[in-house]
């Protein structure tokens, strides 16, 4: 038996019946499709979405209208991360700029290893009407289109030239999307004529299909090698990455730490793997780390990386792990990540790997003095955090005081969302995470503009979980600087249209605070990092501040807006936003020259080797001292 449908209609029917299963829990994988329509998808995917919406059948993908194609992908990524990669959204665009707008979102998804299915429209497969509007022509390649830009940033890419190719492309797409070691953006480019082309499809294509999400266990000999190394250590430190969260391995991590006395540090993606006040939690590690975690990292004779890909921020550009002969054991579902830093490789699911290590180490524990020192150092850092939260500055608040107010007034299960600028570094060090899903900073790609769109995706996921009884009611706090807000604030309109409540704390410091500080550190004198008029005297952008009114802008997009000037006003605004049912933007000016507490760590940003500027020459001397501390970590395990 067969069913006659267009390619777009068949694709949606297939996607609606795909399910995932892990630990006996089964549910639909795709729940919604974001889309902005143009000539490349309105008659294909757009028509198919309309037809499905009018069908009255259960399980139809919900259509969500975005305002920017990149932002739609960000929202889908935020959704997938909050759902621990066990559910995903589809995103469709027209050809040309609609498609290329999604490339940044695709890179973000793949770098963070979060599933999203992209269906960009493409030029005609028949080529009879070429060049169509927005088509890229090449005099050397007849089969190229702008969608080829997705190839390097997709975990899987295919172009469906004929209807007969669709089933294989869809099956390969689901294989990658549901594989925790391979997942990321999957792109199926759909020529606009093929989308509307009819075909007789076998009925079995539309039968429900279950994709088991595996929990691979450690290979016995690898487990023995890792256990032997662990037992020989006296001062081990465990670094929890995002894999701990996605695997829902928090209980296994806690049991391992408490049984062995191994302190636990955390990456940006792993923050929340242990509550901040657990005696063995030493907080953020690396370039944006705490003094507690970084001091232990410098002295540890063994680093156990669980579910981390060891970005340069985590390793402080290879300066964090300074103990002579330090060894590494890497537990990760991805073999690619386990081989980093010349580690003993343990390819396994984070939860299953931790359970296996707990079983094999027996009665072994780290030195009691080491574990006690970790608790002591963590307590000292927490006192630093308390002082940063209470920091008084005039006439403007410091960023750390704003972070403290949000942390202290939010509920433990609420979610804080951020992505770029100076706030991710301060949040990594200062945010007191109390819930496994309470911290959501996109720092794999650190994409300016992710915050509001990503927060919208997080909120949609949280609302679904609360409605199904799988999670608590959560407020989502979006912390965004003026630079990121100006990059992409469009999805405030989407939140208002969908009736989805966000609490957006918009920090206004009249420029790029993070890059301003970085510029100063490399001798760049904060050049080009303030929002100012061009001066008639110098010809540079060093005149008066621009009169940008972001509060008025947010109000024009339909959000409720509260402008505050001091700590008391901020507290009052946060309480008002919590009581509201609408998206509220809290506008607060801060002093960009009031930094958060420093952990003394380093990040490798090269400084000009020769310069006429004294500031740059001095910065180069500091840079050379930092570079001298870098380690290759090439010693055989």
């Amino acid at each position: 038996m067969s069913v006659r449908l267009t390619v777009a209609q068949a694709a949606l029917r297939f996607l609606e019946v795909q399910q995932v299963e892990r630990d006996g829990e089964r549910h639909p994988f795709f729940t919604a499709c974001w889309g902005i329509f143009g000539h490349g998808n309105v008659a294909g995917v757009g028509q198919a979405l309309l037809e499905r919406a009018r069908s009255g059948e259960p399980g139809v993908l919900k259509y969500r209208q975005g305002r920017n194609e990149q932002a739609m992908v960000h929202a889908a990524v935020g959704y997938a991360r909050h759902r621990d990669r066990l559910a995903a959204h589809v995103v469709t665009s027209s050809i040309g700029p609609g498609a290329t707008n999604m490339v940044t979102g695709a890179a973000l998804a793949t770098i963070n290893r979060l599933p999203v299915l992209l269906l960009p429209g493409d030029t005609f497969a028949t080529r009879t009407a070429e060049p169509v509007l927005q088509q890229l022509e090449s005099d050397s390649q007849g089969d190229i289109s702008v969608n080829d830009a997705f190839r390097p940033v997709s975990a899987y890419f295919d172009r469906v030239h004929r209807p007969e190719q669709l089933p294989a492309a869809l099956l390969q797409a689901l294989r990658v999307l549901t594989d925790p070691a391979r997942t990321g953006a999957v792109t199926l480019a759909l020529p606009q004529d093929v989308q509307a082309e009819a075909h007789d499809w076998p009925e079995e294509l539309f039968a429900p299909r279950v994709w088991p999400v595996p929990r691979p266990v450690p290979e016995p000999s690898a487990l023995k090698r890792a256990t032997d190394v662990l037992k020989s250590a006296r001062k081990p430190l465990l670094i929890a990455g995002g894999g701990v969260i996605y695997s829902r391995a928090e209980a296994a991590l806690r049991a391992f730490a408490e049984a062995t006395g191994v302190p636990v540090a955390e990456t940006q993606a792993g923050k929340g793997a242990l509550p901040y006040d657990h005696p063995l939690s030493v907080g953020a590690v690396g370039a944006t780390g705490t003094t507690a975690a970084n001091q232990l990292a410098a002295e540890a004779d063994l680093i156990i990386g669980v579910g981390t890909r060891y970005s340069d921020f985590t390793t402080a550009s290879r300066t964090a792990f300074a103990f002579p002969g330090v060894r590494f054991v890497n537990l990760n579902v991805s073999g690619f990540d386990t081989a980093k830093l010349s580690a003993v490789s343990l390819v396994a699911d984070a939860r299953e790997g931790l359970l296996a290590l707990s079983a094999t180490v027996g009665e072994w524990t780290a030195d009691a003095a080491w574990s006690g020192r970790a608790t002591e150092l963590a307590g000292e850092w927490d006192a630093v955090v308390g002082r940063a939260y209470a920091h008084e500055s005039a006439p403007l608040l410091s960023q750390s005081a704003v972070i403290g107010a949000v942390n202290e007034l939010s509920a433990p299960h609420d979610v804080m969302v951020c992505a770029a600028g100076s706030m991710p570094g301060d949040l990594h060090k200062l945010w007191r995470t109390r819930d496994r899903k309470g911290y959501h900073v996109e720092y794999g790609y650190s994409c300016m503009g992710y915050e509001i769109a990503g927060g919208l995706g997080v909120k949609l996921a949280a609302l679904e979980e609360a409605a199904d009884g799988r999670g608590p009611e959560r407020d989502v706090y979006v912390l965004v600087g003026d630079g990121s807000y100006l990059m992409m604030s469009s999805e405030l309109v989407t939140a208002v249209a969908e009736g989805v409540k966000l609490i957006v704390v918009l920090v206004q410091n009249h420029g790029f605070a993070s890059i301003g500080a970085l510029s100063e550190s490399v001798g760049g004198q904060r050049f080009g990092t303030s929002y100012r008029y061009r001066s008639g005297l110098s010809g540079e952008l060093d005149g008066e501040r621009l009169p940008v009114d972001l509060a008025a802008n947010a109000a024009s997009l339909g959000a409720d807006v509260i402008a505050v000037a001091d700590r008391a006003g901020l507290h009052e605004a946060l309480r008002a936003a919590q009581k509201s049912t609408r998206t509220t933007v809290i506008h607060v000016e801060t002093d960009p020259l009031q930094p958060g507490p420093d952990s003394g760590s380093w990040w490798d940003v090269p400084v000009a080797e020769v310069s006429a500027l004294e500031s740059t020459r001095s910065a180069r001397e500091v840079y050379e001292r930092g570079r001298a501390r870098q380690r290759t970590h090439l010693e055989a395990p």
Side-chain angles (χ1 to χ4, degrees):
M1 296 290 291
S2 63
V3 181
R4 190 162 182 80
L5 299 167
T6 69
V7 166
Q9 292 163 358
L12 291 186
R13 288 274 297 272
F14 172 89
L15 296 175
E16 288 170 356
V17 296
Q18 304 309 298
Q19 301 176 3
V20 293
E21 182 177 65
R22 188 174 73 173
D23 300 336
E25 179 184 336
R26 180 183 300 181
H27 54 77
F29 186 56
F30 297 106
T31 60
C33 180
W34 293 87
I36 296 175
F37 301 122
H39 69 288
N41 65 344
V42 66
V45 176
Q47 187 279 336
L49 283 166
L50 169 64
E51 189 167 297
R52 294 304 292 155
R54 299 284 173 84
S55 71
E57 297 179 21
V60 171
L61 292 183
K62 186 178 184 67
Y63 167 65
R64 297 197 181 277
Q65 180 189 61
R67 272 71 196 171
N68 178 287
E69 290 89 355
Q70 178 183 327
M72 293 192 301
V73 184
H74 292 338
V77 168
Y79 176 88
R81 175 168 168 175
H82 193 78
R83 291 293 306 272
D84 291 328
R85 304 193 293 205
L86 298 175
H89 283 167
V90 184
V91 187
T92 181
S93 77
S94 184
I95 71 170
T100 54
N101 277 353
M102 295 200 297
V103 172
T104 294
L108 183 146
T110 300
I111 286 171
N112 286 283
R113 298 172 190 175
L114 292 165
V116 57
L117 176 60
L118 306 180
L119 303 178
D122 213 326
T123 53
F124 280 68
T126 60
R127 304 188 187 178
T128 56
E130 289 188 349
V132 299
L133 179 66
Q134 299 175 327
Q135 179 175 348
L136 169 71
E137 292 186 280
S138 170
D139 63 0
S140 62
Q141 299 179 71
D143 64 347
I144 197 170
S145 83
V146 297
N147 285 341
D148 288 278
F150 284 99
R151 291 182 184 272
V153 296
S154 297
Y156 180 79
F157 177 91
D158 200 354
R159 180 179 280 115
V160 179
H161 295 280
R162 296 292 308 140
E164 294 87 348
Q165 297 171 342
L166 181 67
L170 290 171
L171 290 171
Q172 289 297 331
L174 266 295
R175 172 188 65 83
V176 174
L177 287 166
T178 58
D179 182 346
R182 291 273 293 114
T183 195
V186 167
T187 303
L188 300 183
L190 301 177
Q192 57 179 307
D193 53 342
V194 175
Q195 289 183 45
E197 188 173 345
H199 184 72
D200 294 317
W201 308 93
E203 282 191 338
E204 54 264 35
L205 179 64
F206 310 114
R209 191 181 301 265
V210 179
W211 298 83
V213 177
R215 287 193 180 276
V217 299
E219 192 271 327
S221 61
L223 179 61
K224 183 180 185 304
R225 286 193 295 272
T227 303
D228 289 344
V229 171
L230 178 57
K231 284 184 172 181
S232 68
R234 296 178 56 249
K235 299 185 293 183
L237 175 68
L238 188 148
I239 297 178
V244 175
I245 307 290
Y246 301 139
S247 177
R248 298 179 184 172
E250 298 86 7
L253 173 64
R254 183 171 189 149
F256 175 83
E258 291 176 350
T260 62
V262 175
V264 176
E266 56 199 7
T267 69
Q268 285 277 16
K271 198 167 171 69
L274 274 185
Y276 83 95
D277 55 355
H278 188 282
L280 289 168
S281 175
V282 295
V285 68
T288 54
T290 71
T291 53
N294 284 341
Q295 193 162 338
L296 293 176
E299 300 173 12
D301 58 3
L302 173 65
I303 303 297
I304 308 166
V306 182
T308 177
R309 62 190 188 93
Y310 286 113
S311 76
D312 65 336
F313 264 66
T314 299
T315 69
S317 300
R318 301 288 181 98
T319 64
F321 314 122
F323 184 82
V326 61
R327 291 176 294 175
F328 298 83
V329 168
N330 291 344
L331 164 59
N332 203 296
V333 73
S334 166
F336 176 78
D337 288 319
T338 64
K340 292 176 178 177
L341 303 175
S342 303
V344 172
S345 172
L346 196 59
V347 180
D349 170 78
R351 190 188 74 179
E352 296 305 307
L354 285 167
L355 291 174
L357 281 174
S358 293
T360 56
V361 297
E363 300 298 316
W364 174 89
T365 62
D367 283 0
W370 175 253
S371 305
R373 185 155 175 267
T375 301
E376 180 182 343
L377 289 172
E380 292 174 0
W381 178 258
D382 194 56
V384 172
V385 173
R387 291 192 293 272
Y389 281 8
H391 181 257
E392 295 289 348
S393 58
L396 301 176
L397 287 171
S398 66
Q399 187 164 272
S400 60
V402 173
I403 291 170
V406 177
N407 188 271
E408 290 168 352
L409 291 181
S410 60
H413 51 261
D414 290 342
V415 189
M416 186 284 307
V417 179
C418 191
S422 58
M423 272 191 288
D426 284 349
L427 287 164
H428 195 205
K429 291 182 285 190
L430 301 178
W431 189 263
R432 290 168 168 165
T433 309
R434 298 154 286 178
D435 181 272
R436 64 179 297 272
K437 283 295 176 182
Y439 185 88
H440 183 119
V441 169
E442 188 286 295
Y443 218 56
Y445 209 38
S446 188
C447 183
M448 295 179 71
Y450 173 87
E451 294 90 342
I452 293 172
L456 176 58
V458 172
K459 184 66 175 184
L460 291 171
L463 287 171
E464 287 180 6
E465 290 185 337
D468 295 341
R470 292 181 286 109
E473 296 281 348
R474 299 180 190 264
D475 272 334
V476 174
Y477 293 82
V478 175
L479 273 66
V480 58
D482 51 342
S484 280
Y485 181 89
L486 286 168
M487 289 274 185
M488 192 177 298
S489 57
S490 56
E491 300 323 296
L492 279 177
V493 179
T494 305
V496 171
E498 295 278 358
V500 173
K501 173 190 172 183
L502 298 175
I503 301 175
V504 180
V505 180
L506 172 53
V507 176
Q508 169 68 282
N509 49 45
H510 301 281
F512 301 117
S514 173
I515 299 303
L518 180 61
S519 171
E520 192 168 46
S521 73
V522 299
Q525 302 177 17
R526 297 183 177 259
F527 177 73
T529 61
S530 295
Y531 297 152
R532 295 180 179 274
Y533 286 105
R534 188 172 298 280
S535 169
L537 297 176
S538 68
E540 297 184 8
L541 295 170
D542 59 359
E544 295 296 318
R545 281 182 175 176
L546 296 177
V548 177
D549 191 340
L550 298 185
N553 177 266
S556 76
L557 298 179
D560 293 342
V561 178
I562 307 172
V564 301
D566 53 28
R567 189 187 302 269
L570 177 57
H571 282 217
E572 184 178 344
L574 287 167
R575 293 190 180 98
Q578 291 164 354
K579 293 176 183 176
S580 176
T581 60
R582 286 174 40 83
T583 287
T584 301
V585 174
I586 300 171
H587 181 277
V588 54
E589 291 205 36
T590 62
D591 184 349
L593 301 181
Q594 293 285 340
D598 184 20
S599 63
S601 194
W602 188 70
W603 184 38
D604 190 347
V605 178
V607 179
E609 193 167 359
V610 296
S611 175
L613 301 175
E614 173 59 32
S615 59
T616 304
R617 293 196 297 271
S618 297
R620 180 70 190 193
E621 293 176 4
V622 175
Y623 174 72
E624 293 290 357
R625 290 196 293 271
R627 197 166 67 164
R629 295 162 44 212
Q630 287 182 299
R631 302 276 299 277
T632 61
H633 299 301
L634 292 176
E635 298 87 351

